[in-house]
Amino acid sequence: MNFSKSFRNTFLVILLSLIVSACATKTTTTKVEGQMQGDVYTGNDTVKYLADGVPDRVFFATNESILTTKSRDTLRKQANWLRENSSINVVVEGHADERGTREYNLALGERRANAAKDYLITYGISADRISVISYGKERPVDSGSNPLSWSKNRRSVTVKAN
Amino acid sequence: MIRIFNLFFIIFFLLSAKAYPLIEIDITRGNLDPLPIAVSPLFQDDSSKRNSINEIKIENVGSEISLVVENNLKISGLFNPLSKEAFLQKPDIAHLKPRFEDWALIKAQALITGKVTIEDKKLKVEFRLWDILAGREMMALAFTTVPSNWRRVGHIISDKVYERLTGEKGYFDTRIIYVSEEGPKTARVKKLAIMDQDGFNTKYLTLGNELVLTPRFNPTSQMVTYLSYFKNLPRVYLLDIETGTQEVVGDFPGMTFAPRFSPNGKKIIMSFAKDGNSDIYTMDLENRIVERITNHPSIDTSPSYSPDNRFITFNSDRSGFQQIYVMKSDGSNVKRISFGKGLYGTPVWSPRGDLIAFTKLHKGKFYIGVMRTDGSGERLLTENYYQEAPSWSPNGRVLIFYRETKSNDKGEGFSAKLWSIDLTGYNERQVQTETDASDPSWSSLLSN
């Protein structure tokens, strides 16, 4: 009885690990294809760097301004860098993808830029060193009309102002 | 009388088409029977032709004016201008007294005749509208203007004919202000441009040095409000298109956007974004007093007044997603009115007061639609890959909006064009522009 139970458990474990590995394989495949998690861009082929290891931008889900774990990590790096370079001020640009009405996207870009700004403030950067500007959907980095292109365009970018 | 009856029939049919859902409108689009009308070239004698060449470098301006009229009537979708080749009577004789049998023979139900003279640097125009079946004159008008205004003369004649035959004001002597677009998507150059409603006389009002968006006409004057990124500070501006003078609207410490005039032209209503939150404000253009209309942690934008100034419709995501709301113009009594599936944006109140036009996004498609001001009777007029920002013709019969095409992965194949569609969902047409174009706004009638 015990044996058969533990056998069954082992079987389940094997089965589960098979499913997990199947998932893992699948995730890897989507990653290669899409570089996206949900619809948030996770790649770095459009990312520029404020300094070595300090990415300049974070990415958002459709219609969202919530910072992902990766975004928060990036912004903490930016905050550290800004602390070390206290003479530098920045502009945080907020952007949206092309799949929304122009005026709403201007507001959404503003919201995204401020989400990034607020996080930098939380990590000790003075508010008067950070200004924001929303470009709505007016300044895409990727001109394709597909989910991956759109995910690269839903972003806020921290740019040196001086 | 039969002719008039026919026209009533057309109008009745247009109104009754309201009851059909989108899909059926798509199928039956273009099944209307427009009124056959003959637009005879306006007669011009030889001495006047010589003056015409001297003044405006056009020999037969009478003929040109009749082409303007013909084109206007045709694009309205309500008229079928007949081929001039079939006309039996000469323009000058027809203008004095048409031989109605001749015009009836080519199946014309209405006839426009006229005469132009250019003398002493003045263009004198007279025209008549004839009812062929009843065999009588319906209207006769004459006016004088400067010769360079000849296209406007064509538009005014079109408006008079439209009004006489439909009982509603026309929309031909109007202009469209829009954003001209050039260059790749990632570095688009945008300029304010203005043109006659039929695509002629395009003028560029800005040079393209800074990003400009969402121009809107003042319904009572030749003023325009728009968003400019001048010095990288996105702010609402006011522009006088006659003098070219412009000024920033208000002194806001952040982005102002989505401007529109109140119906009496005395206020600008717009969004102001502070700390990531956009709310609706107004500024009185006479006393410069700024009022806050909404105060909510959600995005409130794209405001538009009702024509009686009593209400404002706007776009908000306070429910979690973009929806359309209506409130009193002091900001009280906020009510959500859009409840269909999908997201709703860009509400614009009809100049007739009874409808709100909007953009809807549902399952990856964009629609231009209308609903009553309480949100009932939603009707989608057109579906496409991307389209938004409807603007009403001054008579509330036609909507102009812009449409974008999908690009491939390299960004090729992208275009932005202006389109118009009748409130009925019929008569969808591309509006010709010299460049790619977006954000159209329709002026009021220039003359009345």
Side-chain angles (χ1 to χ4, degrees):
Chain A
M1 212 43 190
N2 258 349
F3 172 78
S4 102
K5 200 174 179 182
S6 78
F7 175 79
R8 204 173 64 192
N9 282 350
T10 320
F11 179 74
L12 267 175
V13 167
I14 292 166
L15 191 72
L16 277 172
S17 61
L18 273 175
I19 291 168
V20 167
S21 68
C23 281
T25 326
K26 211 178 161 198
T27 324
T28 329
T29 334
T30 18
K31 222 175 178 173
V32 171
E33 276 173 5
Q35 303 175 290
M36 283 160 75
Q37 197 167 46
D39 68 350
V40 179
Y41 182 64
T42 52
N44 57 6
D45 58 300
T46 57
V47 176
K48 292 175 184 165
Y49 291 85
L50 289 163
D52 192 27
V54 187
D56 72 338
R57 65 197 62 197
V58 300
F59 300 95
F60 297 89
T62 303
N63 279 325
E64 289 293 348
S65 57
I66 296 165
L67 299 168
T68 62
T69 311
K70 192 178 174 193
S71 297
R72 290 197 298 270
D73 182 49
T74 297
L75 290 167
R76 278 195 301 273
K77 284 175 184 161
Q78 290 185 5
N80 286 336
W81 178 77
L82 281 168
R83 264 200 304 276
E84 287 158 17
N85 298 273
S86 57
S87 64
I88 290 175
N89 293 347
V90 289
V91 180
V92 183
E93 301 174 350
H95 299 271
D97 67 36
E98 65 184 11
R99 301 300 285 165
T101 55
R102 194 180 312 286
E103 293 178 334
Y104 183 81
N105 275 357
L106 286 170
L108 185 58
E110 181 82 13
R111 202 188 244 172
R112 285 175 176 158
N114 274 278
K117 177 185 172 178
D118 290 346
Y119 199 79
L120 293 175
I121 292 172
T122 316
Y123 277 82
I125 307 306
S126 159
D128 51 21
R129 291 178 65 195
I130 314 163
S131 54
V132 297
I133 185 168
S134 172
Y135 285 103
K137 59 176 176 174
E138 305 304 317
R139 292 286 179 264
V141 282
D142 188 313
S143 51
S145 297
N146 58 69
L148 178 61
S149 300
W150 297 328
S151 74
K152 293 179 196 172
N153 293 334
R154 288 189 297 269
R155 70 202 192 277
S156 81
V157 186
T158 305
V159 181
K160 283 186 229 172
N162 54 346
Chain B
M1 262 342 268
I2 293 169
R3 186 204 48 73
I4 289 167
F5 175 79
N6 272 352
L7 200 76
F8 278 150
F9 176 75
I10 289 168
I11 291 162
F12 174 73
F13 188 74
L14 290 172
L15 293 173
S16 66
K18 270 188 173 185
Y20 293 93
L22 175 71
I23 296 159
E24 296 197 36
I25 287 172
D26 269 336
I27 293 166
T28 56
R29 180 171 300 166
N31 276 359
L32 286 169
D33 194 11
L35 183 86
I37 188 166
V39 186
S40 173
L42 309 193
F43 174 73
Q44 191 177 13
D45 68 20
D46 289 343
S47 86
S48 182
K49 278 182 185 170
R50 280 191 298 276
N51 291 339
S52 185
I53 291 172
N54 290 339
E55 290 288 334
I56 44 175
K57 313 265 180 288
I58 297 168
E59 187 188 358
N60 203 340
V61 73
S63 208
E64 295 294 323
I65 291 172
S66 77
L67 291 176
V68 171
V69 175
E70 199 176 300
N71 183 52
N72 281 339
L73 296 179
K74 190 173 164 211
I75 61 179
S76 79
L78 298 176
F79 300 90
N80 172 26
L82 301 168
S83 163
K84 287 180 172 32
E85 282 166 26
F87 295 0
L88 298 169
Q89 222 179 352
K90 286 209 159 55
D92 50 339
I93 315 282
H95 185 54
L96 289 174
K97 173 79 180 157
R99 221 168 26 246
F100 294 107
E101 322 79 85
D102 284 3
W103 297 100
L105 200 64
I106 63 166
K107 308 269 189 283
Q109 295 189 31
L111 167 68
I112 298 169
T113 64
K115 188 182 163 187
V116 299
T117 47
I118 295 189
E119 264 173 22
D120 305 331
K121 301 190 184 302
K122 276 185 196 143
L123 171 66
K124 249 181 81 178
V125 183
E126 53 180 76
F127 82 96
R128 293 189 176 126
L129 173 65
W130 305 88
D131 181 337
I132 297 301
L133 300 181
R136 64 182 180 86
E137 181 188 293
M138 292 181 80
M139 183 172 49
L141 277 173
F143 34 83
T144 305
T145 179
V146 289
S148 59
N149 255 348
W150 65 270
R151 291 199 70 90
R152 275 199 66 194
V153 168
H155 296 314
I156 292 166
I157 294 173
S158 310
D159 281 328
K160 297 295 176 194
V161 169
Y162 182 98
E163 186 173 354
R164 182 67 181 81
L165 293 177
T166 67
E168 293 184 19
K169 285 266 182 208
Y171 54 88
F172 303 113
D173 188 22
T174 55
R175 296 198 275 188
I176 308 289
I177 192 160
Y178 62 97
V179 172
S180 154
E181 303 191 2
E182 282 169 302
K185 277 166 102 174
T186 48
R188 207 76 165 146
V189 174
K190 297 196 172 189
K191 301 172 190 169
L192 289 190
I194 190 168
M195 65 182 186
D196 294 350
Q197 143 285 131
D198 60 352
F200 284 80
N201 290 327
T202 303
K203 288 189 191 79
Y204 296 91
L205 305 174
T206 62
L207 297 169
N209 296 331
E210 61 275 324
L211 177 62
V212 291
L213 302 169
T214 64
R216 272 91 193 233
F217 269 111
N218 185 326
T220 64
S221 71
Q222 291 302 302
M223 301 287 275
V224 166
T225 182
Y226 69 104
L227 172 60
S228 171
Y229 277 68
F230 184 63
K231 292 186 174 169
N232 255 349
L233 296 171
R235 296 291 186 275
V236 169
Y237 282 74
L238 191 62
L239 167 68
D240 184 326
I241 51 178
E242 315 248 281
T243 64
T245 52
Q246 45 182 313
E247 57 172 307
V248 185
V249 174
D251 181 22
F252 292 90
M255 175 170 74
T256 48
F257 62 109
R260 230 175 251 284
F261 285 94
S262 63
N264 60 15
K266 289 181 177 158
K267 278 184 182 177
I268 286 180
I269 188 164
M270 63 199 148
S271 285
F272 164 51
K274 192 175 184 301
D275 303 329
N277 179 37
S278 300
D279 279 317
I280 293 168
Y281 287 71
T282 58
M283 193 183 92
D284 190 305
L285 294 171
E286 283 170 3
N287 58 24
R288 307 274 144 175
I289 290 174
V290 171
E291 269 185 274
R292 184 178 193 151
I293 307 295
T294 66
N295 190 345
H296 196 280
S298 68
I299 288 172
D300 292 343
T301 191
S302 301
S304 165
Y305 274 101
S306 64
D308 62 6
N309 268 299
R310 290 173 58 220
F311 298 95
I312 293 163
T313 180
F314 66 103
N315 197 198
S316 177
D317 63 1
R318 57 187 66 192
S319 70
F321 295 98
Q322 255 181 297
Q323 297 292 343
I324 295 172
Y325 291 76
V326 167
M327 62 187 168
K328 286 191 177 164
S329 35
D330 64 1
S332 65
N333 276 42
V334 178
K335 284 196 184 92
R336 176 172 162 184
I337 64 160
S338 62
F339 287 97
K341 285 185 179 136
L343 306 182
Y344 291 79
T346 75
V348 207
W349 217 297
S350 156
R352 293 163 168 253
D354 56 342
L355 294 171
I356 289 171
F358 57 83
T359 306
K360 172 173 170 148
L361 166 56
H362 182 50
K363 291 191 174 166
K365 291 280 186 189
F366 282 77
Y367 302 83
I368 303 294
V370 292
M371 57 175 70
R372 285 195 280 273
T373 61
D374 62 359
S376 66
E378 175 177 322
R379 204 153 51 81
L380 301 175
L381 305 179
T382 166
E383 174 197 306
N384 211 272
Y385 169 73
Y386 187 88
Q387 52 192 355
E388 68 145 321
S391 171
W392 292 93
S393 65
N395 69 355
R397 273 285 162 211
V398 186
L399 289 161
I400 189 166
F401 53 94
Y402 80 92
R403 184 175 280 175
E404 289 176 354
T405 54
K406 192 173 182 168
S407 14
N408 67 14
D409 294 352
K410 292 176 195 151
E412 298 158 346
F414 177 76
S415 74
K417 300 287 180 196
L418 305 187
W419 286 76
S420 71
I421 193 163
D422 286 8
L423 181 53
T424 55
Y426 292 90
N427 198 31
E428 183 176 287
R429 293 170 184 271
Q430 192 183 324
V431 179
Q432 297 301 322
T433 46
E434 289 181 355
T435 60
D436 268 15
S438 60
D439 293 1
S441 170
W442 211 316
S443 80
S444 300
L445 277 175
L446 300 175
S447 58
N448 266 301

